[in-house]
Amino acid sequence: MSTFTPAPMPSALTFELDARCSTTKARAATLTLPHGPVQLPLFMPVATQASLKGLTPEQLEATGCRLCLNNTYHLGLKPGQEVLEKVGGAHKLQGWKHNLLTDSGGFQMVSLLKLANITEDGVRFLSPHDGSPMLLTPEHSISLQNTIGSDIIMQLDDVLVTTSPDAARMREAMLRSVRWLDRCIAAHANPTTQNLFCIIQGGLDLEMRKECCEEMVARNTPGIAIGGLSGGEAKADYCKVVNTCTGLLPELKPRYVMGIGYPEDLVVSVALGADMFDCVWPTRTARFGNAITKHGVLNLRNAKYASDFGPLEDGCDCLCCRRGDGGLNVTRAFINHIAGKETVGAHLLTMHNVWYQLELMRNVRKAIIEDRYPEFLKQFFKDLHTDKAKYPVWTVDALRMVGVDLME
Amino acid sequence: MTISEDIEGSSRASSLSFEISGAIEYSTPDARLGRLSIAGRNDIDTPNFFSISSRGVVPHLTPDVIGEHTQPGGVHVALEDFIERATIGTPPIMNVPGNAPLHTFTCLPTSFITLLAPRRTPAVIAPIGNTNTAISIFTSTGFQSLSNKAYVNYAEKLHPDIIIGLADVPHGTVPGVKRIDKMGDRTEGWLTELLASEHTKSAVFAPILPIEYHSQFEYLNNLDEFADKIRGLAFYDSNLLPDIPATTAVAQLPRLSLDEPSSPHEILRQISLGMDIFTIPFIGFATDAGIALDFQFPSPSTSSEVVSTGNGSTTKSLGVDMWSTEHSTSLDPLSVSCECYACTIHHRSFIQHLLSAKEMLGWALLQIHNHYVLSKFFSFIRESIGQGTFEADCETFARYYETELPEKSGQGPRVRGYQFKTEGPGERKKNQPGWRGDLEVA
Ligand SMILES: [Zn+2]
Ligand SMILES: [Zn+2]
């Protein structure tokens, strides 16, 4: 494939690099989107169906969130494009004043609907409403996202699990994703108000990833995502892909790694040069009574917390844990008392977990700006695992690639 | 909303005071205005209502939302929601540090009054009856008995602002003649023990039993002797209100309804008998059914809302079924001119979407709105009583609105509470299995 010469593409964002880590590839940046600026690196919680697990938009705002996800596939089903059109988009539907990002809908179709299959036209699937055959094309995905009005929209891509052994199929998917990107760009009706991101594919094959980076960077989208990961590949392989891609991407564009959210994955991926992440894990795990802390995840349904009157996490400044200043003084014992019995338990844990993720990234950013990210990483892993012998090998290896030795 | 301020002096009597405005006509039951005050809490103008909690939370609402977006006078808390571990040890709530463990544990705003009752309202029917020393309660792990001794002990430790005395109420069954004879005696005995406790600083409300006046005649008459110690009356049956000794100090006590009014009309009826404070299960029922309450007292103020009732044969519904797809593109608030958080920030389209997508926020927003509608309802009632137009306004309300809340059409939230006790083996599953293709949602 020859390198494509792009038509000039409008962009609805500005990207300002605020600082660079002098050791790792970590960066701090300010990304200004149609609904206001966000600070990178950034974690984005997922409000699948235009609502985040029972939180009011006001409560989500209070965690500091200024950019969250909606899923195009779900919004396409409910409330549907027609309603979205009439209501005036997803911001208006959910009363959210800040930024939204939507996925293309393709990934969820492939992962949720077993009967989906992919052709050059698009993703063929059976309607979950009545079983009739349907087709999601790049044009349809963009049209839906145009109606949703999200600040960042994603191209439809041909996603394969990275662990697929079929190299020919993987290459086909990568090349098709490039072709679909061209169709998405052509179909995009609002390039001055919505930012289309391309998605780098190519599985775990670094050469294929390089080829894809080259093709897609040439198309000059306002931002770039690294896709197809978090699908069960070895963490070491994941890190190699991210590291390879960020090495080839333009410095002055945001880099979004899709579907990543475990704290360890976040801090390592930032060191490898990625800026933006999303994952349902923090909010999903809240539903099961889990609180994320810097010392690991606590399952508060466990009877040992029944009389633990401490905050969910010592020193946490979220609305639940905060003492005074309007804080709720929620205790582990109280969550233990209501978890699984009243949805409020999940709401409170969601507030804490989202805060945890956003606060982690705020601290990451601060460390980058103060050029002490290597020290931050060392403290992070010390808090999480206490004993160096317990540090996951992949984290140690990945950080060595960018000049940080956790074992020092 | 910081940790509850300590109420000084652990053995000091309750600071609850209740003032009835205007001259009191003891001889006739009538709607009345009052103000309930407890040190450290917001004063409550009555008639008014308390929210009903489940395991210490107002369902669907986090404590910050309750504090910022609802205005109930207080919260009804059931002891049976906290003591499932009593059979194997000390319930955790008994170990909560500080002087206001109930407030502290449940994270309720400090301005809110806590009202502790032995049982939920409505309460699950117990298969075994009460005894001379204990009642049957239903916890998250099953039925237990709760002795009055234990109840007094909980009261001494938990320091609710208000506590309702243990009552021998046979929830769900009609007591026989022999049983009725015992009910007043048992309840009086238990109340005597609670009042004798030197460590209770809670305001004690005496329960009024859901049986004929003459069957609890002795107990009710003896209440007079306790009048300086009890701080209120809790009615399991509001029809007893006119029978309460009217000439004495008892008549000046605040009156709480546990009579589970099924509609706003029923609330008005009880107010006309002189009821002051309500617990209102239909708020939660409406929320869970996806119904946005939609009534004002005595009728909507905005003329645009007045539906043409023509010859008066049609009446307006008390609520809007938000499951209906007719709302799917509506940018209207749940009710016109409502100023609640849900109606100012959101619209029907979103709430319809949330219900249909089974997103928890749908029920949270409805709960905010439904609480707000009731707060407004009571505030207009107070205005009406103050202006002396209450009786006429009740008639207007009765003419204008339907008598019952609308039937529910959609599904409620995922039923996961143990409190939804199955009534028997033949009962249908509360949660219908979803359609095969229902998608796992993040
Ligand atoms: Zn917290
Ligand atoms: Zn409202």
Side-chain angles (χ1 to χ4, degrees):
Chain A
M1 198 187 277
S2 64
T3 303
F4 171 91
T5 317
M9 189 188 215
S11 162
L13 62 77
T14 60
F15 180 92
E16 261 175 88
L17 199 56
D18 299 321
R20 244 178 310 212
C21 171
S22 62
T23 308
T24 71
K25 291 163 80 177
R27 321 113 53 84
T30 301
L31 179 65
T32 305
L33 293 164
H35 288 83
V38 293
Q39 316 276 291
L40 309 186
L42 178 74
F43 176 79
M44 303 175 283
V46 184
T48 299
Q49 310 192 87
S51 136
L52 192 92
K53 300 290 145 231
L55 267 56
T56 64
E58 203 178 39
Q59 287 175 307
L60 180 56
E61 193 177 45
T63 65
C65 179
R66 295 294 178 270
L67 170 54
C68 75
L69 260 76
N70 282 175
N71 289 121
T72 296
Y73 172 76
H74 289 91
L75 291 191
L77 284 179
K78 281 175 186 178
Q81 188 162 13
E82 201 189 320
V83 168
L84 284 162
E85 187 94 51
K86 285 188 182 149
V87 168
H91 289 91
K92 200 152 177 209
L93 177 75
Q94 64 203 292
W96 179 244
K97 299 188 292 244
H98 307 292
N99 297 290
L100 287 173
L101 181 152
T102 45
D103 61 351
S104 68
F107 174 71
Q108 276 176 335
M109 216 160 273
V110 174
S111 59
L112 295 176
L113 300 176
K114 288 179 183 63
L115 295 173
N117 88 72
I118 295 173
T119 69
E120 188 61 24
D121 287 346
V123 184
R124 291 191 181 280
F125 64 103
L126 300 179
S127 157
H129 280 320
D130 55 13
S132 61
M134 316 246 313
L135 176 68
L136 178 73
T137 62
E139 291 76 17
H140 184 216
S141 169
I142 296 301
S143 157
L144 248 176
Q145 296 186 74
N146 283 158
T147 303
I148 289 170
S150 33
D151 301 271
I152 296 175
I153 67 177
M154 303 304 297
Q155 77 157 108
L156 185 69
D157 54 349
D158 183 353
V159 199
L160 276 191
V161 283
T162 47
T163 47
S164 166
D166 187 344
R169 172 70 184 96
M170 188 63 81
R171 186 168 169 76
E172 185 195 16
M174 184 276 279
L175 293 174
R176 179 173 288 145
S177 295
V178 176
R179 290 193 296 274
W180 282 2
L181 173 59
D182 288 334
R183 286 169 62 186
C184 288
I185 292 171
H188 186 12
N190 310 323
T192 55
T193 53
Q194 294 181 280
N195 297 286
L196 174 63
F197 279 30
C198 63
I199 306 176
I200 310 288
Q201 292 294 346
L204 302 179
D205 183 329
L206 301 184
E207 285 310 311
M208 222 188 280
R209 288 278 179 180
K210 279 183 195 166
E211 191 182 343
C212 194
C213 283
E214 208 172 299
E215 287 294 337
M216 286 187 163
V217 167
R219 273 134 180 105
N220 200 25
T221 52
I224 296 161
I226 303 173
L229 297 167
S230 74
E233 68 278 347
K235 284 288 172 64
D237 292 334
Y238 161 85
C239 292
K240 278 179 203 144
V241 170
V242 173
N243 193 34
T244 301
C245 292
T246 58
L248 298 168
L249 297 180
E251 186 157 41
L252 295 180
K253 287 195 178 177
R255 305 153 176 179
Y256 163 31
V257 185
M258 304 173 76
I260 296 300
Y262 294 133
E264 280 176 301
D265 299 6
L266 294 175
V267 299
V268 171
S269 301
V270 167
L272 298 177
D275 307 314
M276 300 165 68
F277 311 90
D278 79 284
C279 190
V280 295
W281 171 73
T283 45
R284 178 178 286 177
T285 205
R287 211 170 40 172
F288 302 117
N290 291 320
I292 311 173
T293 78
K294 68 176 173 187
H295 300 297
V297 172
L298 308 179
N299 188 302
L300 297 179
R301 287 189 178 186
N302 191 306
K304 71 178 173 191
Y305 298 112
S307 287
D308 185 338
F309 302 111
L312 307 185
E313 175 170 24
D314 278 323
C316 176
D317 226 9
C318 86
L319 182 71
C320 296
C321 299
R322 202 160 66 219
R323 267 50 189 156
D325 189 25
L328 296 176
N329 303 295
V330 171
T331 60
R332 294 171 176 183
F334 185 51
I335 298 293
N336 180 270
H337 178 71
I338 54 177
K341 300 195 173 79
E342 284 298 329
T343 53
V344 167
H347 302 344
L348 292 169
L349 280 173
T350 297
M351 278 158 49
H352 167 82
N353 286 354
V354 169
W355 171 273
Y356 176 89
Q357 299 282 102
L358 297 186
E359 182 70 4
L360 173 66
M361 298 309 264
R362 287 189 281 260
N363 289 329
V364 161
R365 178 180 158 85
K366 196 158 171 261
I368 296 168
I369 290 171
E370 291 166 8
D371 203 12
R372 49 175 181 80
Y373 195 51
E375 292 72 35
F376 176 94
L377 286 165
K378 285 172 188 167
Q379 187 62 45
F380 174 88
F381 282 97
K382 196 173 158 195
D383 288 339
L384 191 55
H385 297 291
T386 325
D387 182 357
K388 279 186 179 165
K390 290 189 196 149
Y391 290 11
V393 174
W394 71 269
T395 59
V396 177
D397 290 348
L399 291 174
R400 274 190 184 132
M401 289 196 293
V402 288
V404 176
D405 187 354
L406 290 179
M407 292 302 167
E408 255 172 17
Chain B
M1 283 175 288
T2 53
I3 295 180
S4 308
E5 294 305 320
D6 300 343
I7 298 167
E8 287 162 41
S10 64
S11 63
R12 190 190 291 178
S14 160
S15 67
L16 182 142
S17 69
F18 184 64
E19 275 178 45
I20 300 164
S21 32
I24 309 153
E25 190 65 63
Y26 290 131
S27 52
T28 53
D30 206 353
R32 62 188 199 176
L33 293 173
R35 173 167 288 185
L36 185 76
S37 311
I38 293 177
R41 313 280 179 236
N42 281 353
D43 288 354
I44 299 172
D45 289 324
T46 63
N48 214 320
F49 76 108
F50 282 9
S51 263
I52 296 173
S53 70
S54 173
R55 292 189 83 72
V57 300
V58 177
H60 312 293
L61 302 183
T62 51
D64 53 317
V65 168
I66 299 166
E68 283 161 33
H69 300 308
T70 72
Q71 308 70 32
V75 178
H76 174 285
V77 181
L79 181 69
E80 66 183 352
D81 280 350
F82 294 86
I83 57 172
E84 61 269 19
R85 284 165 207 267
T87 50
I88 50 166
T90 308
I93 194 163
M94 293 294 276
N95 299 323
V96 175
N99 285 334
L102 199 56
H103 253 93
T104 305
F105 189 63
T106 56
C107 312
L108 283 170
T110 42
S111 58
F112 280 35
I113 290 173
T114 50
L115 165 78
L116 187 70
R119 302 220 52 197
R120 297 169 67 101
T121 179
V124 168
I125 300 163
I128 16 165
N130 303 332
T131 68
N132 283 336
T133 54
I135 64 164
S136 265
I137 58 167
F138 185 58
T139 73
S140 63
T141 54
F143 290 98
Q144 275 182 31
S145 81
L146 171 68
S147 70
N148 192 55
K149 192 160 169 269
Y151 191 59
V152 172
N153 188 33
Y154 287 121
E156 287 174 346
K157 170 69 183 145
L158 298 180
H159 301 309
D161 296 316
I162 300 172
I163 184 166
I164 300 172
L166 203 64
D168 183 20
V169 176
H171 292 280
T173 53
V174 179
V177 179
K178 272 186 154 171
R179 172 70 191 282
I180 284 180
D181 280 347
K182 286 186 195 163
M183 286 169 65
D185 290 348
R186 282 176 178 172
T187 304
E188 183 176 343
W190 295 341
L191 181 65
T192 311
E193 284 172 28
L194 178 61
L195 292 172
S197 156
E198 291 191 354
H199 303 289
T200 308
K201 64 188 177 194
S202 308
V204 174
F205 277 28
I208 308 298
L209 300 168
I211 49 175
E212 298 288 330
Y213 170 71
H214 62 80
S215 306
Q216 52 183 325
F217 169 80
E218 236 174 291
Y219 167 55
L220 295 181
N221 269 325
N222 291 345
L223 284 180
D224 235 11
E225 291 167 27
F226 298 134
D228 58 329
K229 282 186 150 181
I230 56 179
R231 299 307 189 93
L233 304 176
F235 288 83
Y236 285 92
D237 180 352
S238 54
N239 291 322
L240 268 297
L241 221 164
D243 297 324
I244 294 305
T247 54
T248 61
V250 174
Q252 300 202 49
L253 295 172
R255 301 154 178 171
L256 170 80
S257 171
L258 297 171
D259 194 11
E260 302 170 15
S262 64
S263 68
H265 304 283
E266 176 59 18
I267 292 173
L268 293 173
R269 190 191 67 85
Q270 294 188 26
I271 288 174
S272 73
L273 297 176
M275 200 66 83
D276 300 306
I277 303 164
F278 290 81
T279 54
I280 309 172
F282 76 67
I283 301 176
F285 296 157
T287 297
D288 286 355
I291 290 166
L293 297 175
D294 187 20
F295 54 83
Q296 287 180 38
F297 188 76
S299 64
S301 46
T302 332
S303 55
S304 66
E305 278 177 76
V306 178
V307 288
S308 73
T309 48
N311 52 13
S313 63
T314 45
T315 45
K316 193 182 167 304
S317 171
L318 291 164
V320 182
D321 179 2
M322 290 311 301
W323 280 94
S324 166
T325 49
E326 73 186 69
H327 309 300
S328 63
T329 57
S330 168
L331 298 181
D332 290 338
L334 294 170
S335 34
V336 183
S337 81
C338 179
E339 286 165 351
C340 82
Y341 170 75
C343 288
T344 17
I345 305 292
H346 299 292
H347 41 66
R348 292 186 177 195
S349 168
F350 187 44
I351 288 152
Q352 205 279 330
H353 161 69
L354 292 170
L355 290 178
S356 149
K358 302 206 181 85
E359 281 286 342
M360 296 180 281
L361 180 59
W363 288 286
L365 293 176
L366 282 170
Q367 187 79 307
I368 291 170
H369 168 81
N370 288 342
H371 274 75
Y372 190 87
V373 168
L374 265 295
S375 290
K376 277 283 175 202
F377 181 65
F378 280 101
S379 114
F380 283 121
I381 287 169
R382 292 192 298 272
E383 211 170 278
S384 165
I385 297 172
Q387 289 165 353
T389 56
F390 182 65
E391 214 169 309
D393 288 341
C394 284
E395 280 166 24
T396 305
F397 188 85
R399 271 200 312 276
Y400 196 83
Y401 289 103
E402 286 178 2
T403 51
E404 295 298 331
L405 295 169
E407 291 286 321
K408 70 180 255 187
S409 68
Q411 293 167 295
R414 181 191 295 247
V415 173
R416 52 169 93 218
Y418 60 91
Q419 65 272 21
F420 298 93
K421 178 101 176 90
T422 53
E423 306 289 346
E427 200 204 30
R428 276 159 35 107
K429 274 190 184 164
K430 295 277 196 216
N431 287 317
Q432 295 302 309
W435 184 75
R436 174 186 56 82
D438 259 11
L439 298 165
E440 158 75 344
V441 164

